[in-house]
């Protein structure tokens, strides 16, 4: 079994649920406490052994590339002023040379199309997809748990979670061949099912391990829910050829593409921050 070394991060979305802030700041660059959401996603990927991150970007997302590059004036100024902790923090966010690639999705044709845009960089090996909106807090990072699960069953693995009542029509929903423990064989999946038709209460929540055969299916995948080329539809077809497992990781997910989800993430991460936890607790308590 080939190791999972690369991850695709679709970051072309407009962030309509977090406007107006996302008008000029890519939603993935909105802060959770003291650094952008993407910073946590990259740390999670690295902890799972990811060696190469492929960002699928779009118009107005240049801040992402700038964040993962040197800022010579800023670094010089921090050094001159002796702010060496801050300098080390900023430099610690930088990729190793060649660790990141950026491809442009030139039209918003859907998640399936976004992933397909990364095909030449991924090549012929299994890869992860990380949806950066979904910030996953866990003692063992969520993608590491997923890769560990993948290493026991191979094929394709999709992270799923319990769907809040009445919300299934917003997500990809999976069908399982029985449920025992956290890792279960899948029998089907459907993107944004009509209310009342969902095959289970488990939704696809934002981490995937996929085999490269998905790309040939994505290449000729027609439009699905919302008139978009859906990753879920191509995965449902790949399921006829290769096994899929649904995996429930151990941790808490914050949907940072949503205003309240982003707020919850900020509160939760502030309360765990090594330097800020006490001050954050006092500030939050005072507000309540
Ligand atoms: C996408 C996926 C969907 C998944 C969701 C998780 O939908 O297509 O299967 O459940 O992300 O956030 P979107 O949020 O782009 O509509």
């Amino acid at each position: 079994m080939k190791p999972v070394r690369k991850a695709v991060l679709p970051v072309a979305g407009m962030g309509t649920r977090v406007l107006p802030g996302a008008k000029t700041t890519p939603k993935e660059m909105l802060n959770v406490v003291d650094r952008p959401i993407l910073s946590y996603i990259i740390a999670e990927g690295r902890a799972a052994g990811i060696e190469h991150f492929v960002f699928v970007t779009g118009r107005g997302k240049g801040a992402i590339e700038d964040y993962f590059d040197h800022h010579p004036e800023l670094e010089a100024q921090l050094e001159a002023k002796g702010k060496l902790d801050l300098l080390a923090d900023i430099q610690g966010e930088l990729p190793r040379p060649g660790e990141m690639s950026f491809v442009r999705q030139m039209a918003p044709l859907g998640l399936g199309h976004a992933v397909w845009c990364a095909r030449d960089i991924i090549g012929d090996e299994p890869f992860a997809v990380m949806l950066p909106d979904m910030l996953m807090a866990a003692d063992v990072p969520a993608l590491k748990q997923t890769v560990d699960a993948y290493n026991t069953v191979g094929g394709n693995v999709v992270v799923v979670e319990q769907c809040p009542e009445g919300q299934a029509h917003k997500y990809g929903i999976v069908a399982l061949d029985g449920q025992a423990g956290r890792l279960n064989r899948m029998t089907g999946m459907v993107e944004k099912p009509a209310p009342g038709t969902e095959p289970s209460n488990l939704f696809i929540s934002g981490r995937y391990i996929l085999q490269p055969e998905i790309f040939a299916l994505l290449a000729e995948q027609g439009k699905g829910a919302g008139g978009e080329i859906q990753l879920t539809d191509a995965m449902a077809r790949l399921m006829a050829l290769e096994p899929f497992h649904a995996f429930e990781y151990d941790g808490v997910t914050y949907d940072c593409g949503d205003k309240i989800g982003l707020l919850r993430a900020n509160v939760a991460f502030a309360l765990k921050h090594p330097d800020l936890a006490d001050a954050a607790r006092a500030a939050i308590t005072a507000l309540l």
Side-chain angles (χ1 to χ4, degrees):
M1 208 152 69
K2 286 186 186 172
V4 180
R5 300 187 310 117
K6 299 178 183 172
V8 177
L9 280 64
V11 292
M14 300 239 259
T16 33
R17 290 183 296 148
V18 282
L19 282 171
K23 180 181 170 190
T24 51
T25 302
K27 62 175 173 166
E28 302 80 11
M29 297 304 291
L30 295 173
N31 261 15
V32 169
V33 188
D34 58 356
R35 62 201 67 229
I37 297 163
L38 269 180
S39 167
Y40 300 94
I41 301 292
I42 297 301
E44 181 194 328
R46 285 185 180 141
I50 299 299
E51 298 168 5
H52 194 111
F53 296 89
V54 186
F55 292 85
V56 183
T57 70
R59 275 169 56 76
K61 299 283 182 165
I64 297 173
E65 286 185 64
D66 288 343
Y67 188 80
F68 292 109
D69 192 7
H70 280 292
H71 186 323
E73 298 94 325
L74 175 65
E75 290 169 39
Q77 197 181 92
L78 291 174
E79 185 155 21
K81 293 194 169 167
K83 297 189 174 172
L84 300 184
D85 286 354
L86 212 41
L87 179 63
D89 195 359
I90 280 171
Q91 291 180 337
E93 298 272 279
L94 295 175
R96 287 178 291 105
E99 188 188 4
M100 293 180 175
S101 296
F102 297 82
V103 296
R104 193 102 163 184
Q105 187 188 24
M106 294 160 71
L109 299 179
L111 178 60
H113 179 263
V115 171
W116 179 74
C117 287
R119 65 198 179 282
D120 283 347
I121 303 174
I122 298 300
D124 188 27
E125 55 183 272
F127 64 101
V129 176
M130 306 176 79
L131 303 188
D133 281 0
M134 300 304 237
L135 184 52
M136 298 184 174
D139 292 339
V140 176
L143 190 65
K144 164 91 171 99
Q145 294 183 38
T146 311
V147 169
D148 288 347
Y150 163 78
N151 285 335
T152 68
V153 289
N156 302 266
V157 177
V158 178
V159 171
V160 299
E161 298 183 29
Q162 297 286 334
C163 190
E165 188 77 26
Q167 301 295 304
H169 62 285
K170 295 183 180 171
Y171 297 106
I173 305 290
V174 304
L176 298 184
D177 178 21
Q179 208 170 345
R182 294 184 176 277
L183 188 61
N184 292 286
R185 184 82 185 244
M186 273 165 63
T187 54
M189 59 179 104
V190 55
E191 184 67 23
K192 300 187 176 49
T197 67
E198 57 272 10
S200 77
N201 63 347
L202 293 172
F203 79 100
I204 297 170
S205 72
R207 302 291 182 271
Y208 313 69
I209 307 292
L210 297 174
Q211 296 298 324
E213 289 74 35
I214 194 75
F215 290 121
L217 298 173
L218 285 171
E220 37 110 20
Q221 180 64 49
K223 290 178 181 173
E228 297 187 346
I229 298 170
Q230 296 290 353
L231 180 59
T232 303
D233 293 343
M235 291 195 299
R237 289 164 59 218
L238 185 55
M239 205 182 299
L241 310 170
E242 295 179 358
F244 271 75
H245 283 81
F247 176 60
E248 289 180 81
Y249 85 104
D250 184 12
V252 180
T253 300
Y254 301 93
D255 181 358
C256 294
D258 169 86
K259 288 174 185 174
I260 296 299
L262 183 60
L263 174 65
R264 288 179 64 235
N266 268 287
V267 173
F269 279 65
L271 291 173
K272 286 194 174 163
H273 192 287
D275 303 329
L276 301 174
D278 291 345
R281 185 173 302 280
I284 293 163
T285 309
L287 282 172
L288 296 173

